[in-house]
Amino acid sequence: MLAHRHPDTTSDRKDIVMNVKTTRAAIVLALALTMPLAACSSGKNANTTTGGIDGAKIAFLMPDQASTRYEQHDAPGFKAALSKLCASCTALYNNANADASKQQQQFDAAISQGVKAIVIDPVDSTAAASMVSRAQARGIKVIAYDRPIPDAKVDYYVSFDNEAIGKSIAESLVKHMKNTGVPTDKGVLEVNGSPTDAAAGLIKKGIHEGLANSGYATLAEYDTPDWEPTAAQQWVAGQVSRFGTQIGGIVAANDGTAGGAIAALKAANVKPLPPVTGNDATNAGLQLVISGDQYNTISKPSEIVASAAARVVVDLVEGKPVAAVGGGNLTTVFGAPTMLFVPKVITRDNLKADIVDAKINTAAELCTGAYATGCTALGIS
């Protein structure tokens, strides 16, 4: 009789092990074939963002601290709006303090922290193009804020209409000069914004349009590095020495450069001061309008664009079409889908109604020290 072979022989053990390995391999292969392709990532796509907005980190990168608006209005406005739209989201705020290299580091740090979107107001609009490409390669949405990025097609651009701002302040100045009898043999100084800021370029274009048929010659113009008020002051001081009483008005592209221009005029003991424009409706700019030293500024409450940017972020991350909010106009700027808001010119004539009564700024904020007299004259209390 043949002896019965126990299955635990060396030969049979090998067969069993092979069968187990084959079965495991088949199971692994079957699982791999049924997995979604999006779950398989490697190389540069390893950090690609997936899923909806819940729990997302969103970077909010602002350009400088020379203007107080970013710390006092834009950042708080964005955080508040985002928290209402997504309570589980986190806004990561950083300010580059006019340092393009620092902003690049902040941008890269945001990517490494796994953000799903980056809202950026670039220090240098040209240098920002490569940053946009790096983020988009990882599936991160990039929203240009206030300043466009012409050399990159961002996912969205949200801003007040910068070209309209330049045209509005220039036309307002020209109308005032004509109404007050400034002769056309006098001219205008033009103090533009930073040459590395594409928004400044749009404001500059608008200023040129506003002055084109004014009858007043442009005596000289200057692109102010980093929007620095001290640089604007130094340049205007030189032009006062050069042109003297030929200066009939000054178009300054924001309240900071306007303040620098006014400081230069006062240091040179120019009387009366020629009218000076501004933009941003900062506390300091509004106070200069109240005192009569600055002719106009532009009201563009930062919370409006900050709230719109938060809405755009949520829609983009969730893959929804972006709809206009808060009166914004949908258009295209530098090839990117865009939401623009209409600016409003502020002078002494409408400052009370459109700033104080509208609760954009309070009398307590504006009517301090030497400005109390001007507030009384305007009925602000």
Side-chain angles (χ1 to χ4, degrees):
M1 185 175 81
L2 293 175
H4 177 68
R5 292 175 60 208
H6 194 277
D8 195 26
T9 62
T10 301
S11 174
D12 286 336
R13 282 201 303 271
K14 289 181 179 180
D15 289 342
I16 291 170
V17 171
M18 288 299 294
N19 287 337
V20 170
K21 287 183 176 179
T22 301
T23 302
R24 285 177 177 170
I27 292 171
V28 171
L29 178 61
L31 288 172
L33 290 173
T34 57
M35 286 173 63
L37 290 177
C40 302
S41 60
S42 61
K44 72 176 184 178
N45 295 320
N47 293 327
T48 300
T49 59
T50 58
I53 192 70
D54 287 345
K57 295 177 183 178
I58 310 297
F60 191 72
L61 307 181
M62 296 295 100
D64 63 67
Q65 294 175 349
S67 175
T68 58
R69 55 168 285 198
Y70 300 113
E71 306 291 324
Q72 296 179 1
H73 299 285
D74 295 79
F78 181 79
K79 290 177 181 178
L82 183 64
S83 67
K84 288 181 181 178
L85 295 168
C86 176
S88 63
C89 290
T90 301
L92 306 177
Y93 171 60
N94 274 297
N95 191 304
N97 200 19
D99 186 334
S101 297
K102 184 176 182 180
Q103 187 169 66
Q104 181 172 322
Q105 293 169 4
Q106 293 170 345
F107 193 98
D108 291 340
I111 292 176
S112 69
Q113 291 177 71
V115 299
K116 289 194 175 182
I118 298 175
V119 180
I120 180 170
D121 192 336
V123 174
D124 186 324
S125 297
T126 301
S130 62
M131 293 191 286
V132 174
S133 299
R134 289 201 303 278
Q136 289 176 331
R138 291 164 173 78
I140 299 169
K141 302 296 184 182
V142 180
I143 296 87
Y145 181 87
D146 195 41
R147 303 175 182 179
I149 305 174
D151 296 332
K153 188 174 181 180
V154 296
D155 295 282
Y156 225 90
Y157 172 46
V158 181
S159 177
F160 278 93
D161 189 334
N162 287 298
E163 190 171 331
I165 287 171
K167 187 174 182 179
S168 295
I169 60 176
E171 288 181 339
S172 171
L173 176 72
V174 168
K175 182 178 180 181
H176 177 69
M177 290 171 67
K178 289 182 177 180
N179 287 344
T180 54
V182 177
T184 54
D185 61 351
K186 292 196 174 188
V188 175
L189 294 179
E190 184 176 333
V191 188
N192 302 311
S194 174
T196 61
D197 176 358
L202 292 173
I203 294 172
K204 180 178 178 177
K205 181 180 178 183
I207 290 172
H208 289 171
E209 292 173 1
L211 295 177
N213 299 309
S214 67
Y216 296 104
T218 299
L219 300 173
E221 63 178 289
Y222 175 65
D223 294 342
T224 311
D226 297 325
W227 293 91
E228 278 293 337
T230 53
Q233 181 177 345
Q234 291 171 1
W235 182 78
V236 171
Q239 305 315 302
V240 171
S241 297
R242 179 182 176 189
F243 293 107
T245 57
Q246 284 183 265
I247 301 171
I250 298 178
V251 185
N254 77 345
D255 289 344
T257 54
I262 291 166
L265 294 168
K266 288 188 172 183
N269 202 32
V270 174
K271 294 181 180 180
L273 293 179
V276 179
T277 74
N279 166 34
D280 287 339
T282 62
N283 277 8
L286 290 168
Q287 287 177 324
L288 289 173
V289 172
I290 288 169
S291 69
D293 291 337
Q294 183 172 319
Y295 174 62
N296 70 22
T297 186
I298 289 286
S299 176
K300 48 178 191 179
S302 299
E303 290 84 355
I304 292 176
V305 286
S307 179
R311 178 76 263 178
V312 168
V313 164
V314 172
D315 286 346
L316 289 178
V317 171
E318 293 190 335
K320 298 177 181 177
V322 175
V325 294
N329 300 314
L330 299 185
T331 184
T332 300
V333 175
F334 294 119
T338 298
M339 192 183 304
L340 294 180
F341 293 84
V342 179
K344 186 162 193 173
V345 177
I346 300 296
T347 67
R348 285 171 59 89
D349 293 335
N350 66 339
L351 190 148
K352 179 181 183 297
D354 290 326
I355 297 294
V356 179
D357 293 348
K359 301 186 185 305
I360 295 174
N361 291 80
T362 66
E365 290 173 324
L366 300 175
C367 303
T368 59
Y371 301 104
T373 301
C375 282
T376 300
L378 297 179
I380 301 171
S381 59

